[in-house]
Amino acid sequence: MEDKDFKKKLAGEKAAEFVKDGMVVGLGSGSTMYWTIKKIGEQVSEGIAIQGIPSSVQTANWAKEFGIPLTDFSKVKQVDLAIDGADEIDQNFDLIKGGGGSLVREKIIDSAAGQLIIAADDSKLVKALGAFPLPVEVVPFGYEIIKEKIARLGSEPVLRSQNGKAFVTDNGNYILDCLFSEITDPKKLHNLLKSMVGVVETGLFINMTDMVIIGKSTGTEILHKSRQNKN
Ligand SMILES: O=C[C@H](O)[C@H](O)[C@H](O)COP(=O)(O)O
């Protein structure tokens, strides 16, 4: 296993330790979450009773494979704990997410959660967001217009593609990957993008994260928001 994958595994498995009996758990998406979901599956087989809400088709498939009972928002209105990955984490615990294209469902689940834990390898920690191109989910109709509007904000949006075709999200939409290099005011940028007709959601997750679990070659480090803010 590569060093980065090992770190993801460490962080992902550690996050599963915060899942307790009786919880409704939001299940994030991505390769780090694979390890969390697998570990939660082991806990379920040992007897804890939880219900998971998956943030992508891929996550739902892994959850089924590992025996985690699933639910949805027609049955539950509240999520006790959400665990998710991230593409970038800044010093305020603001995030860029959506590298795998699951940002909309992730944001719905993460914002409904009483607590949000982010698990990631140490390469995801950044001083300022923006080196990772910001994923913006847009409706396919007229996406060309949104692309031009975003370009006027100082980015060169790229329509995400897969196997030579436009990548389509679980919600039937497109993703524009927008490189801004450095995002000085994440909230302002998010609001500007969200005000454009046809933008469904941005990958900026602002003021949502309670705890970050970082996987390093030496083990895991847990960062708490309050402590982080004092530094
Ligand atoms: O859409 C994908 C999600 O936001 C992922 O949580 C994020 O891209 C991190 O993925 P990974 O754990 O594979 O680095």
Side-chain angles (χ1 to χ4, degrees), residues 8 29-32 84-87 97-103 106 124:
K8 288 182 181 204
S29 297
S31 53
T32 313
D84 210 338
D87 299 300
K97 286 183 51 55
S102 310
L103 61 139
E106 288 178 328
K124 306 289 181 68

Side-chain angles (χ1 to χ4, degrees), residues 35 53 61 71 100 106 121 123 134 144 158 163 173-174 183 210 227:
W35 298 107
I53 300 196
N61 289 339
T71 188
E106 288 178 328
D121 68 89
S123 72
L134 174 67
E144 298 91 340
V158 174
N163 305 325
N173 295 316
Y174 289 168
I183 300 174
D210 298 292
R227 195 180 308 156

Side-chain angles (χ1 to χ4, degrees), residues 96-209:
I96 286 184
K97 286 183 51 55
S102 310
L103 61 139
V104 171
R105 295 188 190 189
E106 288 178 328
K107 202 179 262 191
I108 291 170
I109 292 171
D110 294 351
S111 55
Q115 193 188 15
L116 173 60
I117 296 177
I118 296 298
D121 68 89
D122 55 5
S123 72
K124 306 289 181 68
L125 288 174
V126 296
K127 278 201 174 132
L129 302 175
F132 189 93
L134 174 67
V136 178
E137 183 157 336
V138 298
V139 296
F141 182 84
Y143 82 88
E144 298 91 340
I145 298 173
I146 304 168
K147 205 169 163 231
E148 280 181 23
K149 282 189 189 168
I150 297 178
R152 278 181 233 135
L153 298 179
S155 168
E156 286 202 18
V158 174
L159 178 67
R160 191 178 297 182
S161 62
Q162 194 175 42
N163 305 325
K165 286 190 207 154
F167 171 86
V168 178
T169 70
D170 288 346
N171 313 305
N173 295 316
Y174 289 168
I175 299 272
L176 293 174
D177 288 306
C178 308
L179 182 62
F180 285 97
S181 298
E182 188 172 328
I183 300 174
T184 47
D185 190 338
K187 193 168 183 189
K188 187 174 168 195
L189 179 61
H190 169 79
N191 288 340
L192 273 169
L193 292 167
K194 276 283 279 197
S195 70
M196 294 176 186
V197 180
V199 167
V200 177
E201 194 48 79
T202 83
L204 285 166
F205 284 46
I206 300 164
N207 204 17
M208 292 171 65
T209 308

